[in-house]
Amino acid sequence: MKINISITDDHKMVLQGIQSMLNNTPEIKVVETYETAQETINGLEKQCPDVLLLDINLPDINGIDLSKQLLKKHSDLKIIALTNFEDISFVKRMLKQGVHGYLLKNTDKLEILEALKTVLSGELYLQKDIQKKLINQTPKQTFNNGLNIKLTRREQEVLQAISEELTTHEISEKLFISPKTVETHRSNIMLKLGAKNSVGMIKIAIENDLLT
Amino acid sequence: MKINISITDDHKMVLQGIQSMLNNTPEIKVVETYETAQETINGLEKQCPDVLLLDINLPDINGIDLSKQLLKKHSDLKIIALTNFEDISFVKRMLKQGVHGYLLKNTDKLEILEALKTVLSGELYLQKDIQKKLINQTPKQTFNNGLNIKLTRREQEVLQAISEELTTHEISEKLFISPKTVETHRSNIMLKLGAKNSVGMIKIAIENDLLT
DNA sequence: TTATTTTCAGGGGAAACCCTTAAAAATCCT
DNA sequence: AGGATTTTTAAGGGTTTCCCCTGAAAATAA
């Protein structure tokens, strides 16, 4: 039995590169390649591979949402995130969504094979350097980006209130502070969580169990 | 071993009523009563009962959020929702949060005892009439309120886009429709989900697995 | 052909979001 | 105890987005 894999990447070159790297490997078969998130979603409907190598910097949908979506539909699918992005916080978010591996794009053939076998055996695959980074994470050194989110007591209260559909003004009355202060907090929370608006804020908050 | 229960209700009369109904029952002990959500949260920190009879129409926090919160902190706690509210959709949302029973307030002593025993044995307790309603639910008869949410194809797309932190304008471009149309959809979605704003929308959407 | 869905508009008010600046207040450090 | 840091507070002032109401015409579906 061959291992069926599909690849999604918006750069044709990357697509080609990986494909040629893998195509002369007898135990691997690249069944499909996609260039957008939407293509991938549609494609997997018809043909779901064993493993999907997924670039997570796609134009249409972000990698976190996409992998979440795909995994929900295809519970047996293994996803290996593929990216140049070495941001640890991002890795964490991906893993939290249930992604099975995380590869940087400057990877050689051997490592890809290794990764494929690892995830197929049900284990998590992380590259050495990413592993190191994850381990060397003293809670200090992630400050404002991504996971490992440290909200202050007050920010936590404001976040909670926002999640309860209160308006800025209502929150200010509830906490006995000025609306302007609430705005400041809201905006700081968004910065810390990396959200574009309240909706993103609440999404990330829920994902990361920030709501009591 | 007595069964320790606490009661939360903002109407003193109800509090009194239930308490007197239960106090001359040897196997039950009412350890605390609370009148607000906040009191309850604080109170359970010190003294967590076996079962909490919880009115879900409290002034400060809504029942769904509150029970979710309490259950997260006190995983062994059983909660029986207490309400006049016969809305099936609401019942469903409560159950989804992990509430163990749902009692209407016009309940007699026997039924309360029955409910307490049932939830303590780990089962779900629902009153006969609510059970009936749940069963007789043809997918038709819930239209605009609460659970059993039926979003149209387009609404689903708009919801998804909103959850991806896109603005109305961005969504309109993505879906090739007018911003005004997007607004209409947004507003219809909020109506269907019973949300006050986009934040509530996304919260409910996530709770109910409406996002792909 | 009714019902539902999708489309769109005008117009207005509220709320959110952004940027900057900054002063108390609480907390931490040695 | 005294300075350093973080947190909390707040304002001014502007832009954008959201939310609400009404009304209505196509396009689809039942």
Side-chain angles (χ1 to χ4, degrees):
Chain A
M1 279 284 275
K2 282 192 176 185
I3 302 173
N4 289 322
I5 78 170
S6 292
I7 313 172
T8 301
D9 200 303
D10 56 328
H11 304 294
K12 279 226 176 66
M13 302 177 313
V14 178
L15 226 47
Q16 278 294 320
I18 300 178
Q19 218 172 155
S20 68
M21 263 163 74
L22 293 177
N23 255 348
N24 54 357
T25 311
E27 65 264 37
I28 309 275
K29 187 181 176 195
V30 178
V31 290
E32 292 285 351
T33 63
Y34 310 105
E35 291 181 46
T36 67
Q38 202 53 56
E39 274 182 38
T40 310
I41 294 169
N42 298 335
L44 292 217
E45 288 292 322
K46 295 163 201 151
Q47 175 90 305
C48 188
D50 300 313
V51 184
L52 176 68
L53 295 180
L54 177 64
D55 174 30
I56 55 179
N57 301 118
L58 294 175
D60 44 350
I61 301 183
N62 77 65
I64 291 172
D65 288 342
L66 177 59
S67 47
K68 195 165 156 189
Q69 191 174 144
L70 291 174
L71 286 169
K72 186 175 280 180
K73 272 244 176 73
H74 311 280
S75 47
D76 287 339
L77 175 68
K78 306 289 179 185
I79 294 183
I80 297 178
L82 211 55
T83 172
N84 296 311
F85 212 43
E86 249 184 280
D87 184 354
I88 286 296
S89 68
F90 210 77
V91 180
K92 286 197 183 174
R93 289 187 69 185
M94 294 299 299
L95 294 179
K96 211 156 202 174
Q97 292 318 316
V99 160
H100 308 86
Y102 197 97
L103 276 183
L104 296 181
K105 280 193 186 170
N106 57 356
T107 306
D108 59 13
K109 188 177 162 178
L110 277 177
E111 185 135 33
I112 293 188
L113 285 176
E114 173 82 14
L116 287 174
K117 282 175 194 159
T118 307
V119 300
L120 276 172
S121 78
E123 286 174 75
L124 210 62
Y125 186 84
L126 293 176
Q127 268 172 331
K128 282 271 146 54
D129 22 343
I130 291 181
Q131 276 187 40
K132 264 187 205 159
K133 280 204 176 180
L134 269 177
I135 293 166
N136 290 349
Q137 274 231 307
T138 67
K140 268 276 133 104
Q141 68 197 152
T142 47
F143 33 106
N144 96 348
N145 55 347
L147 256 252
N148 228 318
I149 300 154
K150 292 248 154 60
L151 295 186
T152 67
R153 182 144 62 288
R154 212 44 160 175
E155 285 165 351
Q156 167 64 39
E157 289 174 320
V158 171
L159 171 63
Q160 185 66 35
I162 292 174
S163 86
E164 282 159 14
E165 301 181 289
L166 304 185
T167 66
T168 298
H169 183 245
E170 288 167 336
I171 297 171
S172 80
E173 285 179 335
K174 179 174 183 175
L175 301 181
F176 305 107
I177 54 182
S178 145
K180 274 294 184 183
T181 307
V182 177
E183 284 192 12
T184 304
H185 287 310
R186 179 169 20 75
S187 146
N188 287 335
I189 298 167
M190 288 201 296
L191 197 67
K192 285 191 181 178
L193 302 204
K196 286 214 263 290
N197 54 34
S198 295
V199 163
M201 201 166 110
I202 256 50
K203 249 184 48 178
I204 299 174
I206 293 177
E207 268 171 17
N208 294 88
D209 241 43
L210 263 34
L211 300 180
T212 54
Chain B
M1 279 284 273
K2 282 190 176 184
I3 302 172
N4 288 321
I5 78 171
S6 293
I7 313 173
T8 303
D9 199 305
D10 57 326
H11 303 294
K12 280 225 177 66
M13 301 178 311
V14 178
L15 225 48
Q16 279 294 321
I18 300 178
Q19 215 171 160
S20 68
M21 263 164 74
L22 293 177
N23 256 349
N24 53 357
T25 312
E27 65 264 39
I28 309 277
K29 187 181 177 196
V30 178
V31 290
E32 290 287 352
T33 63
Y34 309 105
E35 291 180 46
T36 68
Q38 202 53 56
E39 275 183 36
T40 310
I41 293 170
N42 297 335
L44 292 219
E45 287 293 321
K46 294 164 202 150
Q47 173 91 304
C48 188
D50 300 312
V51 184
L52 175 68
L53 295 179
L54 175 64
D55 175 29
I56 54 177
N57 301 118
L58 294 175
D60 44 350
I61 302 183
N62 77 66
I64 291 173
D65 287 342
L66 177 59
S67 46
K68 194 165 154 188
Q69 190 173 148
L70 291 175
L71 285 170
K72 184 175 283 183
K73 273 245 176 71
H74 311 281
S75 46
D76 287 340
L77 175 67
K78 306 289 180 185
I79 294 183
I80 297 178
L82 213 56
T83 173
N84 298 309
F85 211 43
E86 250 184 278
D87 184 354
I88 285 297
S89 69
F90 210 77
V91 179
K92 286 196 183 176
R93 290 186 68 184
M94 295 298 298
L95 294 180
K96 209 154 203 174
Q97 291 319 316
V99 159
H100 308 87
Y102 197 98
L103 277 182
L104 297 180
K105 280 194 186 168
N106 58 356
T107 305
D108 60 13
K109 187 177 162 178
L110 276 178
E111 185 135 33
I112 293 188
L113 285 176
E114 173 82 13
L116 287 174
K117 283 176 195 162
T118 306
V119 299
L120 277 171
S121 78
E123 286 175 75
L124 210 63
Y125 186 85
L126 293 176
Q127 271 173 328
K128 283 273 148 52
D129 21 344
I130 291 181
Q131 278 188 37
K132 264 188 205 158
K133 279 203 178 180
L134 271 176
I135 294 167
N136 291 348
Q137 274 229 312
T138 68
K140 267 281 135 103
Q141 69 198 151
T142 48
F143 32 104
N144 95 344
N145 53 346
L147 257 252
N148 225 317
I149 300 155
K150 290 251 153 58
L151 295 186
T152 67
R153 182 150 54 285
R154 211 46 160 175
E155 284 165 351
Q156 167 65 39
E157 288 173 320
V158 172
L159 171 62
Q160 185 67 35
I162 292 174
S163 86
E164 281 159 15
E165 301 181 290
L166 304 186
T167 66
T168 300
H169 183 245
E170 288 167 336
I171 298 171
S172 80
E173 285 179 336
K174 178 174 183 174
L175 301 181
F176 305 107
I177 54 182
S178 146
K180 275 295 185 184
T181 307
V182 177
E183 284 194 10
T184 304
H185 287 310
R186 179 168 23 74
S187 146
N188 287 333
I189 298 167
M190 288 201 297
L191 198 67
K192 286 191 181 178
L193 303 202
K196 287 214 263 289
N197 54 35
S198 294
V199 164
M201 202 167 110
I202 256 50
K203 250 184 46 179
I204 299 175
I206 293 177
E207 267 172 18
N208 293 90
D209 242 42
L210 262 35
L211 300 179
T212 55

